[in-house]
Amino acid sequence: MDASFALAHCFGMDPRRSTPERPLVSVVDDDESVRESLPDLLREFGFEAIAFSRAEDFLSSDRLSQTKCLVLDIAMPGMSGLDLQQELRRRRESIPIIFITGQKDDANRELALRQGAAHFLYKPFSDISLLNALDLAIPQ
Amino acid sequence: MIVVGSDRADFPGQTESLLLSVAANQASIGLREAGLLRQQKRIADELDRRVAERTAELASTNRELASEIIERKLAEEALRTSEIKLRQVIDTIPTLAWCNLPDGPNEFLSKPWHDYTGLSPEESHGWGWQVAFHPEDLPPLMKRWRELLVSGEGDEMEARLRRRDGVYRWFLIRVQPLRNNEGEIIRWYGTSTDIEDRRVAEERLARNEAFLAEGQHLSRTGSFSWCVNSGSITWSEEMYRIFEFEEGTNVTLEEIGSRMHPEDLRIFNEMIERARAGVGDFEYEHRLLMPDGTVKHLHLIAHVRGDNPGEYIGAVQDVTQRRLSEQALSKARSELANVARVTSLGVLTASIAHEVNQPLSGIITNASTCLRMLSADPPNVDGACETARRTIRDGNRASDVISRLRTLYSKKEPTLESIDLNDAAREVTAMSSTEIQRAGVSLRQDFAESLPLASADRVQIQQVILNLIRNATEAMSTVDDRARELIITTELQGQQVLLSVKDSGVGLAPEAADKIFEAFHSTKNDGMGIGLSVSRSIIEAHRGRLWATKNDGPGVTFSFTIPRRSEGAIDVENLTNVDDRKADAA
């Protein structure tokens, strides 16, 4: 973790802002307040952000191929976050995934990490931990 | 001859002469005889006179004789009347009478016998009567009859006799020999009495007794009667089996006392005192300690006999098996409850975490974003306002979650119904009897009969009762020098029904007496019950009162009253407040 990099973000000085193409981060969460708030924070971080309420919607979206990182909820009606992770592996899509969940469940965490998750965050998480996770997940 | 002959010339001829001479002789004899006759006449007259005398005598005798004959006739008449009367008796008495000859065959059968059997005297004559007996009963009957003929004893037997319509009815047959002065049997006299109804009743009784005995055996219930004054005790078979006394032996209170569990001897003695004081019906649960060391749990109910106030009748049930399974069940249940509590707590925590973490996550993210937007150059004020607005919204959302949870885990609506306080208390004691038993506490329930109904929330009132019982049981947990007794009584007090729970526990410290009803005062909390403060809130919401008084002896009595049903409706608002308080306490 580059401390000066994180510090720079904290003061809104995004080094990526100058680059014409911002990396796309997709958010999949059934909770509306997350879909509302998280993209704004991601944009503040300097990413392009888009939110989906259902895993299926993300899978059928043409933004999938452009997504550089996926911020994914676990417990959702229909396809769960873990199901989506498996489906992406099956499709050989190597999008880094940061899981976010409100339920403390170490078994899920272990499974997610074993299946190649980049990071696993419990809600509520701080902006710094998310930013660190994104920095680790997205290849520079 | 002379007159005829005188008309003839040749009269008298030779023959006629002879005849005439004979006649002359005869005449002379006659003359002589005439003299004799006169003499005879005199004699005859004398005779006549005597005869007349004699005749008079005879006539008199005859008259006497005649009256004697009349008397005799009257006597005969009387005899006949008497015989008729005797016959009437024989024919009317509600039994069949008969008479047999010394060697066995029948001589006489009364009319009712013939009427009953429909057999004519010719048919029944001698040994003919045998056909009237039931084929199954005849052989033993004849066997016995022959034995009696030999032994010369009287006896009685029972056998079925066929009625003229073919129906057999049971008869009691009694026979007795009649002996002459020499002691020889000259007749056998007997009666046959219809005992069908008695037999049927006896059979029914025997059957019912068998049913009862079997029922008692299966349900391990014995019955008894106890005459308090005379001390006489009657036990059913099963009672002996329960107490393991030899069946049929005389039982005394001392012997029963010797089987009592030492810790329950007090209950037993108190029961006797109550009975002697004429207190009335009672119900106890107590234990027996058998010689081999096993413990039996008994449930006893006794009532004063309506027709004899000095006598109790009652039943004792061996509830050991039930107690043991209850104990096992209760143990399993408490283990299960523990598991459930832990599990549900985990589930609850997780669900609360999830419900609260979602909005909390939004709040933090929005607040972070807001801070970033404001610290940018230039600050994104519109965006910051939007995120701040979301922060407030998510804060409210989190608050909603909390109040939803509170609604979910507190009771929604109080259920007002008519409750019988006795029933409500009985359910609670049944539920907690194992707990009470395990704590070595003997429970006595002294419920008022025909207690009026109360309008109350059954579950809430039962929670209060349960709480009081638990407190009482706990207060006695360290008591070892006296019996641990729990007495629950109900009674009517004016317009209120009252329930009190009396213990023989450690009592209350003077400074504690005021504080026990304060919230959170209780040092114990096993999660299932509710504290005294909540109990008091519940009772007060029912417009009742809950208070504690120190016993004359050791221990404390907690009592509460709630209005009887006719008092009117209960303030639902108050009950809802209790729920809120409970929720707050939780």
Side-chain angles (χ1 to χ4, degrees):
Chain A
M1 167 75 202
D2 182 348
S4 65
F5 181 80
L7 200 67
H9 277 291
C10 288
F11 290 96
M13 295 176 283
D14 186 355
R16 287 186 202 100
R17 239 174 218 181
S18 50
T19 57
E21 186 107 344
R22 293 171 169 214
L24 176 66
V25 176
S26 295
V27 176
V28 180
D29 197 315
D30 64 321
D31 188 69
E32 200 193 344
S33 78
V34 172
R35 289 202 307 275
E36 270 177 0
S37 60
L38 206 52
D40 276 353
L41 182 64
L42 289 167
R43 280 178 207 118
E44 284 300 308
F45 285 161
F47 297 102
E48 197 185 336
I50 182 167
F52 300 88
S53 63
R54 289 157 28 102
E56 293 87 343
D57 293 348
F58 173 70
L59 276 176
S60 59
S61 163
D62 54 1
R63 305 301 301 272
L64 189 150
S65 57
Q66 298 157 25
T67 299
K68 296 288 177 288
C69 182
L70 178 61
V71 177
L72 180 58
D73 187 20
I74 288 197
M76 288 183 292
M79 195 179 218
S80 77
L82 291 169
D83 294 340
L84 177 57
Q85 183 189 28
Q86 282 183 344
E87 178 58 22
L88 290 172
R89 265 169 55 136
R90 199 186 61 77
R91 297 188 186 185
R92 305 192 182 279
E93 294 280 358
S94 54
I95 306 170
I97 299 174
I98 298 170
F99 278 103
I100 54 170
T101 178
Q103 272 163 324
K104 190 128 183 110
D105 189 332
D106 290 339
N108 274 347
R109 179 192 154 91
E110 225 164 88
L111 179 62
L113 293 175
R114 208 168 50 235
Q115 292 188 47
H119 221 91
F120 198 99
L121 295 173
Y122 288 115
K123 292 178 191 172
F125 45 82
S126 74
D127 52 348
I128 303 289
S129 13
L130 178 63
L131 190 56
N132 285 343
L134 285 163
D135 280 342
L136 290 171
I138 300 169
Q140 294 298 312
Chain B
M1 193 173 68
I2 295 170
V3 174
V4 174
S6 57
D7 293 338
R8 272 184 21 225
D10 56 346
F11 189 81
Q14 199 182 351
T15 310
E16 282 155 340
S17 303
L18 182 62
L19 281 170
L20 283 170
S21 78
V22 170
N25 281 341
Q26 288 288 354
S28 71
I29 292 167
L31 285 174
R32 209 171 48 241
E33 278 184 355
L36 279 172
L37 274 172
R38 273 193 303 275
Q39 200 179 349
Q40 274 176 342
K41 191 176 180 307
R42 264 196 327 273
I43 292 167
D45 287 348
E46 180 61 24
L47 271 174
D48 279 352
R49 191 185 55 79
R50 284 189 187 171
V51 165
E53 272 175 21
R54 186 74 189 135
T55 304
E57 276 173 27
L58 279 174
S60 146
T61 309
N62 207 21
R63 271 196 306 277
E64 280 169 21
L65 202 62
S67 79
E68 210 176 292
I69 286 167
I70 289 165
E71 272 173 31
R72 186 166 298 173
K73 271 187 179 165
L74 282 174
E76 278 172 3
E77 192 87 355
L79 190 64
R80 206 158 42 243
T81 309
S82 154
E83 265 177 8
I84 289 168
K85 275 184 185 162
L86 189 61
R87 177 55 63 96
Q88 277 174 347
V89 170
I90 289 170
D91 289 350
T92 312
I93 49 170
T95 186
L96 316 181
W98 44 268
C99 161
N100 283 3
L101 294 172
D103 55 345
N106 179 259
E107 183 187 46
F108 164 80
L109 286 159
S110 68
K111 188 171 170 293
W113 194 95
H114 294 292
D115 290 346
Y116 175 86
T117 58
L119 295 177
S120 68
E122 291 73 32
E123 286 169 321
S124 63
H125 181 73
W127 297 98
W129 49 267
Q130 291 184 11
V131 297
F133 279 100
H134 194 284
E136 281 175 23
D137 300 341
L138 189 62
L141 188 75
M142 290 308 295
K143 182 171 172 286
R144 184 73 195 126
W145 179 225
R146 279 190 290 270
E147 284 166 3
L148 294 180
L149 289 176
V150 172
S151 69
E153 287 167 357
D155 198 10
E156 54 183 63
M157 298 154 265
E158 289 181 11
R160 280 162 291 179
L161 198 59
R162 193 181 59 205
R163 204 163 58 188
R164 58 193 313 143
D165 61 359
V167 175
Y168 284 97
R169 290 176 70 86
W170 279 99
F171 276 76
L172 172 69
I173 300 155
R174 285 198 168 107
V175 62
Q176 203 63 45
L178 175 71
R179 295 169 189 274
N180 62 15
N181 290 338
E182 281 71 45
E184 295 160 343
I185 293 174
I186 51 173
R187 285 292 184 279
W188 291 90
Y189 286 98
T191 58
S192 302
T193 312
D194 188 334
I195 53 162
E196 177 71 16
D197 295 344
R198 198 198 78 194
R199 274 293 284 234
V200 168
E202 274 175 2
E203 276 164 18
R204 196 165 45 224
L205 187 67
R207 203 163 45 235
N208 286 346
E209 274 179 356
F211 284 158
L212 182 66
E214 186 62 15
Q216 290 207 340
H217 191 48
L218 286 176
S219 64
R220 296 170 198 271
T221 306
S223 50
F224 66 89
S225 75
W226 173 34
C227 186
V228 180
N229 293 330
S230 73
S232 86
I233 295 168
T234 314
W235 274 11
S236 76
E237 252 176 65
E238 191 58 26
M239 279 293 279
Y240 287 98
R241 227 170 279 149
I242 291 171
F243 277 79
E244 293 175 20
F245 283 134
E246 198 187 324
E247 203 186 312
T249 51
N250 250 343
V251 193
T252 62
L253 285 177
E254 287 68 32
E255 281 171 311
I256 299 171
S258 72
R259 286 276 198 262
M260 283 294 145
H261 194 286
E263 287 175 25
D264 291 348
L265 202 55
R266 244 175 91 103
I267 301 177
F268 177 67
N269 290 330
E270 191 200 284
M271 184 179 76
I272 296 169
E273 275 169 35
R274 279 165 60 92
R276 289 208 168 118
V279 171
D281 300 353
F282 50 81
E283 181 169 353
Y284 283 100
E285 294 218 1
H286 65 81
R287 289 161 296 172
L288 298 184
L289 182 61
M290 306 315 288
D292 63 359
T294 57
V295 173
K296 288 186 179 183
H297 296 264
L298 302 188
H299 182 189
L300 175 149
I301 299 172
H303 299 284
V304 177
R305 272 185 63 160
D307 52 344
N308 181 8
E311 190 178 346
Y312 279 90
I313 53 167
V316 171
Q317 189 170 36
D318 183 347
V319 293
T320 311
Q321 280 305 321
R322 202 168 74 199
R323 284 276 167 281
L324 291 179
S325 23
E326 271 173 11
Q327 278 170 12
L329 187 67
S330 168
K331 194 162 163 284
R333 195 166 49 199
S334 78
E335 278 166 9
L336 188 67
N338 233 343
V339 169
R341 198 149 60 222
V342 171
T343 312
S344 65
L345 208 63
V347 170
L348 182 65
T349 311
S351 109
I352 291 173
H354 185 76
E355 290 284 321
V356 176
N357 281 344
Q358 293 286 20
L360 206 55
S361 183
I363 288 166
I364 289 173
T365 306
N366 281 312
S368 304
T369 312
C370 180
L371 186 63
R372 279 166 192 280
M373 285 172 167
L374 287 176
S375 60
D377 187 21
N380 177 358
V381 177
D382 288 347
C385 283
E386 173 59 22
T387 51
R389 193 186 55 76
R390 286 187 210 144
T391 307
I392 295 166
R393 189 203 57 200
D394 285 352
N396 287 334
R397 195 175 141 199
S399 161
D400 286 348
V401 169
I402 301 290
S403 52
R404 259 213 326 276
L405 278 172
R406 182 188 285 176
T407 327
L408 188 67
Y409 288 96
S410 65
K411 234 170 136 268
K412 290 175 192 75
E413 284 287 318
T415 319
L416 288 182
E417 53 184 325
S418 296
I419 67 160
D420 180 339
L421 199 54
N422 289 350
D423 284 349
R426 242 179 239 118
E427 277 178 25
V428 176
T429 54
M431 201 173 78
S432 48
S433 67
T434 314
E435 221 170 295
I436 294 168
Q437 201 88 45
R438 197 186 290 151
V441 173
S442 59
L443 170 69
R444 206 178 83 205
Q445 304 184 46
D446 211 342
F447 293 158
E449 278 175 36
S450 56
L451 196 66
L453 295 177
S455 179
D457 185 312
R458 185 185 192 85
V459 174
Q460 288 189 348
I461 294 297
Q462 289 186 320
Q463 279 181 318
V464 172
I465 298 170
L466 181 67
N467 188 234
L468 296 181
I469 290 174
R470 285 201 168 143
N471 285 344
T473 308
E474 205 149 299
M476 293 187 279
S477 59
T478 55
V479 170
D480 288 318
D481 58 339
R482 55 179 181 270
R484 299 174 186 174
E485 269 185 308
L486 181 62
I487 304 170
I488 302 175
T489 51
T490 60
E491 59 184 277
L492 177 65
Q493 275 198 346
Q495 291 304 306
Q496 308 267 317
V497 284
L498 177 142
L499 182 142
S500 59
V501 177
K502 181 182 179 185
D503 65 54
S504 59
V506 289
L508 291 172
E511 68 272 15
D514 295 325
K515 289 188 181 168
I516 47 169
F517 292 108
E518 287 174 14
F520 305 117
H521 173 76
S522 180
T523 52
K524 62 190 190 295
N525 191 357
D526 60 0
M528 298 283 279
I530 46 167
L532 279 171
S533 71
V534 179
S535 295
R536 180 174 259 185
S537 310
I538 288 173
I539 295 300
E540 284 173 356
H542 282 83
R543 291 183 186 164
R545 221 157 59 79
L546 171 64
W547 72 97
T549 45
K550 212 174 162 311
N551 293 340
D552 289 340
V556 184
T557 302
F558 280 87
S559 313
F560 70 77
T561 55
I562 49 173
R564 53 186 292 184
R565 189 174 147 63
S566 55
E567 190 87 333
I570 289 167
D571 189 1
V572 174
E573 197 59 36
N574 275 344
L575 289 175
T576 317
N577 288 344
V578 172
D579 289 331
D580 286 346
R581 261 169 281 175
K582 253 197 312 188
D584 288 340

